[in-house]
Amino acid sequence: MAAGLLALSACATAPAQVASAPPPPPKQYQWLLGSGEAAVLSRQAYDGMVEHVTAALAARKAGRAVDSAIFAPGATPGDPRWASCDAKPPAVVLDMDETAILNTGANYDTALRGDPPFDPARWERWEQDGATLVEPAPGAVDALARLRAAGVAIVFNSNRENRFARQAVDALRAAGLGDAKPGETLFLRGDIAPGSSKDPRRTAIAERYCVLAMAGDQLGDFSDAFNDKALGVQQRRALAVAPGIAGKWGKGWFLLPNPMYGPGVAGGYDDLFPADKRWTPKGAN
């Protein structure tokens, strides 16, 4: 009996196990999803897109020619030529992920687990069952509503898999961005050509629409040339501001912030810090 009472007493006085709090989310998540700075940049891009498209619509109405925001077949950032607009109906083309929508559910999972921001296998599971756990990019809902009211088609060009087209449509709807129709206003990986190249889809879209603006969170959302694996970090950076396209940013091409994943998140010390620009305090180890 005494031994039993002693055991009960020990149990009663044992300290409760307290679950440890998870570590803070990585800084790139804090910045993209929590900072006013990221929200302002997103809103600024969407407001600029509406302003640009409104001016282009006015120019077309006045009988002036306007350029498509999509390269003509064979054109490159170093040799830019633009697809024909003619009398085609106006449209804008947007990437989906971290451009039109923020994948808050998937970002929570990877941040909590400490995983890399993009894991193909886990992303496939997210595409399948995470459609409603998204938010609109700041400024997107208002901008797309204004463009649709002006008669502009909203076309999404995403590298989500086309076998998950229904879930992609559901995600856009859940974010308050309206409906999209596969093959008409939604183009996905595998729709036009195999692989992740977006140029074939852009060409197909330009055959149907006068694309007045494009928006994305990575340079590959504007041209596959930026994803050439032969490009070094600084070569790719220089190509993005090549003379022929430097004036397109903010005037047809609109870039959204994404510090979490993609070809833009790259570079070692030698890529980022020129040898003649490095500083170390005197006497520092």
Side-chain angles (χ1 to χ4, degrees), residues 7-28:
L8 287 172
S9 174
C11 290
T13 58
Q17 295 295 317
V18 178
S20 60
K27 286 183 171 56
Q28 62 264 40

Side-chain angles (χ1 to χ4, degrees), residues 1 4 14-15 23 30-31 73 94 97 105 123 151 200 202 213 222 230 246 278 280:
M1 172 69 78
Q30 293 175 331
W31 188 86
L94 301 93
D97 301 303
W123 179 260
R202 279 186 280 261
F222 304 91
R278 299 178 185 181
T280 302

Side-chain angles (χ1 to χ4, degrees), residues 76-146:
T76 67
D79 178 25
R81 290 170 286 107
W82 307 100
S84 171
C85 263
D86 299 326
K88 299 169 189 171
V92 297
V93 174
L94 301 93
D95 175 51
M96 275 184 61
D97 301 303
E98 273 60 62
T99 295
I101 63 173
L102 299 176
N103 292 288
T104 306
N107 292 329
Y108 165 79
D109 177 63
T110 54
L112 191 66
R113 292 164 59 88
D115 289 348
F118 182 76
D119 173 77
R122 205 161 187 84
W123 179 260
E124 181 172 314
R125 294 174 61 186
W126 163 249
E127 282 194 41
Q128 287 180 279
D129 61 23
T132 63
L133 304 177
V134 299
E135 299 176 284
V141 171
D142 177 62
L144 299 195
R146 290 165 65 189

Side-chain angles (χ1 to χ4, degrees), residues 100-101 131-132 134-137 140-145 148 156 169-179:
I101 63 173
T132 63
V134 299
E135 299 176 284
V141 171
D142 177 62
L144 299 195
R148 285 189 174 109
F156 298 95
V169 170
D170 290 345
L172 291 167
R173 189 180 295 122
L177 300 177
D179 288 324

